[in-house]
Amino acid sequence: MFLGIDISARRPAHRDGARPRSIVAFGDSLTAGAGASSSDHSYPALAASLFNPPRTVLNRGIGGQASTQIAVRQGGLPLQLAVQGNETKNPLSPQPRLDDLV
């Protein structure tokens, strides 16, 4: 399930005099409402009631989809990764120091 919300302080939730922006809930069968007693009880419908001022939450859940299929619907592109020498070091995370390990 993916729910994209931008809550940064630099942009208001809505422009003066304009309607609040809609939110799109992408996901699988849980987003679509599987297991809910009605579509009014799906999590996107319940999430819409939590905003003040009220917002429209568009339900884009499709049952049976994997995360890669959901990402493609959002415009994502497949990422191909090549690992050489059986190493998967992450250059973005700091390496632990020996002092931290003992």
Side-chain angles (χ1 to χ4, degrees), residues 3-14 21-24 51 55:
L3 180 63
I5 301 174
D6 180 3
I7 56 172
S8 62
R10 62 179 181 235
R11 280 194 279 158
H14 63 286
R21 296 179 185 187
S22 296
I23 296 171
V24 180
F51 292 96
R55 295 252 189 122

Side-chain angles (χ1 to χ4, degrees), residues 10-89:
R10 62 179 181 235
R11 280 194 279 158
H14 63 286
R15 299 156 309 277
D16 290 335
R19 292 187 346 228
R21 296 179 185 187
S22 296
I23 296 171
V24 180
F26 286 91
D28 57 11
S29 58
L30 295 175
T31 305
S37 57
S38 72
S39 61
D40 293 338
H41 291 102
S42 67
Y43 97 80
L46 294 174
S49 68
L50 300 176
F51 292 96
N52 186 14
R55 295 252 189 122
T56 300
V57 178
L58 304 172
N59 189 338
R60 296 294 183 254
I62 297 177
Q65 286 202 324
S67 59
T68 52
Q69 294 168 306
I70 296 165
V72 168
R73 287 195 287 132
Q74 294 173 321
L77 300 173
L79 176 66
Q80 299 206 355
L81 201 56
V83 177
Q84 182 177 356
N86 203 24
E87 289 189 28
T88 57
K89 291 181 181 176

